[in-house]
């Protein structure tokens, strides 16, 4: 990642990559807020929703420390254009993921972005696929942005198709609901538990830890799930990191399930 320390022989490549991202950052800032907009709020000569989502996703994924002007400009631009009907669910999910992942942007700018995306996502949630639902819930929880209507809508939409979620979607979604204190969604959490039971063989250490932590935090005890998580964890304990070990042990102790 651009934001990490270079390994042996990578110094030159990292310098070039950082220089490229810095130029990209500066150029993007010049295009925020200066374009003409159509009747639906779509940009006519600036960033389109997918382009904006992609550039923010790239910055966050690469770990590049973009300037505050970039993140605030991108947030303001996103709040303005992401509600356009032509915006794809993937763009809505990715822009939120990028801001949650980076942790950047001033509170007011990021609040406005998450409010605008949430308002659009609530009425279009059935258009989201499993990964987009999981990533959106994860982003709101990670960014600490409360949106009860969105979490209710995601649960209602995901419940009938939760068996389509892959391991990471399941773990991220249940973690997000527990993180946001959505204990009222117990039927949805139990549906996730049933889907997870069939796929525990695909769970990596982080997925297993997040799942155990989430159900313990939410106070929803599904004995067969805890049995399955225990068995799957034993097979992978040698690759658990210290936090995985600690959080998994805490989860089982928290619910008194030995």
């Amino acid at each position: 990642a651009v934001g990490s320390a270079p390994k042996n022989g990578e110094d030159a490549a990292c310098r070039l990559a950082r220089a490229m991202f810095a130029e990209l950052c500066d150029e993007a800032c010049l295009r925020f807020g200066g374009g003409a907009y159509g009747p639906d709020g779509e940009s006519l000569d600036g960033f389109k929703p997918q382009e904006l989502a992609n550039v923010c996703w790239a910055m966050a994924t690469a770990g590049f420390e973009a300037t505050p002007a970039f993140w605030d400009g991108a947030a303001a631009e996103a709040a303005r254009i992401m509600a356009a009907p032509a915006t794809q669910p993937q763009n809505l999910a990715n822009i939120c993921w990028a801001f949650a992942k980076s942790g950047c942007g001033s509170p007011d700018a990021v609040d406005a972005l998450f409010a605008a995306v949430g308002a659009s996502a609530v009425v279009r949630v059935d258009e989201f696929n499993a990964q987009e639902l999981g990533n959106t819930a994860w982003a709101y929880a990670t960014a600490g942005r409360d949106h009860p209507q969105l979490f209710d809508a995601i649960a209602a939409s995901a419940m009938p198709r939760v068996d389509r979620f892959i391991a990471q979607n399941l773990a991220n979604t249940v973690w997000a609901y527990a993180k946001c204190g959505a204990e009222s969604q117990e039927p949805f959490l139990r549906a996730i538990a049933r889907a997870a039971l069939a796929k525990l063989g695909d769970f990596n250490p982080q997925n297993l830890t997040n799942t155990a932590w989430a159900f313990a935090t939410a106070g929803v005890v599904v004995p067969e799930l805890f049995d399955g998580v225990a068995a799957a964890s034993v097979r992978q304990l040698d690759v658990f990191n210290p936090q995985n070990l600690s959080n998994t042990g805490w989860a089982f102790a928290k619910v008194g399930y030995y």
Side-chain angles (χ1 to χ4, degrees):
V2 172
S4 62
K7 298 177 182 177
N8 292 336
E10 292 182 347
D11 297 275
C14 282
R15 282 196 300 272
L16 287 172
R18 281 193 290 270
M20 180 199 73
F21 272 93
E23 292 288 342
L24 189 157
C25 175
D26 291 343
E27 184 64 29
C29 288
L30 296 175
R31 306 191 185 201
F32 292 148
Y37 298 91
D40 292 323
E42 76 277 14
S43 176
L44 300 179
D45 56 1
F47 280 97
K48 294 179 175 60
Q50 183 173 352
E51 295 163 350
L52 183 61
N54 285 353
V55 74
C56 291
W57 180 91
M59 292 286 185
T61 300
F64 179 74
E65 293 184 4
T67 63
F70 170 85
W71 288 109
D72 282 358
E77 192 81 346
R80 182 166 49 243
I81 70 174
M82 284 291 176
T87 302
Q88 296 298 311
Q90 184 180 20
N91 305 150
L92 295 171
N94 282 355
I95 194 75
C96 291
W97 182 93
F99 275 84
K101 175 72 173 176
S102 71
C104 295
S106 64
D108 287 347
V110 178
D111 282 347
L113 162 64
F114 276 86
V117 171
S120 179
V122 162
V123 298
R124 300 181 56 195
V125 71
D126 288 339
E127 300 173 30
F128 284 56
N129 64 28
Q131 182 173 355
E132 291 156 1
L133 290 171
N135 285 354
T136 301
W138 179 91
Y140 274 80
T142 299
R145 262 62 188 186
D146 192 28
H147 202 307
Q149 297 95 332
L150 178 59
F151 274 78
D152 287 346
I154 288 174
S157 181
M159 181 89 80
R161 47 188 174 128
V162 72
D163 59 332
R164 303 179 198 172
F165 282 38
I166 63 172
Q168 187 171 3
N169 301 153
L170 292 165
N172 283 354
T173 302
V174 73
W175 177 88
Y177 275 77
K179 180 78 171 175
C180 288
E183 291 86 351
S184 62
Q185 296 290 348
E186 182 171 341
F188 180 45
L189 300 187
R190 289 188 177 277
I192 291 177
R194 289 191 295 272
L197 267 170
K199 299 177 181 178
L200 284 176
D202 299 330
F203 279 49
N204 63 28
Q206 192 64 54
N207 299 152
L208 291 167
T209 298
N210 283 355
T211 300
W213 179 92
F215 278 92
T217 299
V220 177
V221 183
V222 183
E224 57 270 33
L225 177 65
F226 275 85
D227 284 344
V229 168
S233 296
V234 165
R235 292 192 291 270
Q236 300 187 54
L237 280 180
D238 58 332
V239 291
F240 271 45
N241 64 32
Q243 187 175 17
N244 297 150
L245 293 169
S246 175
N247 287 356
T248 303
W250 174 89
F252 277 79
K254 176 71 166 61
V255 298
Y257 196 79
Y258 310 119

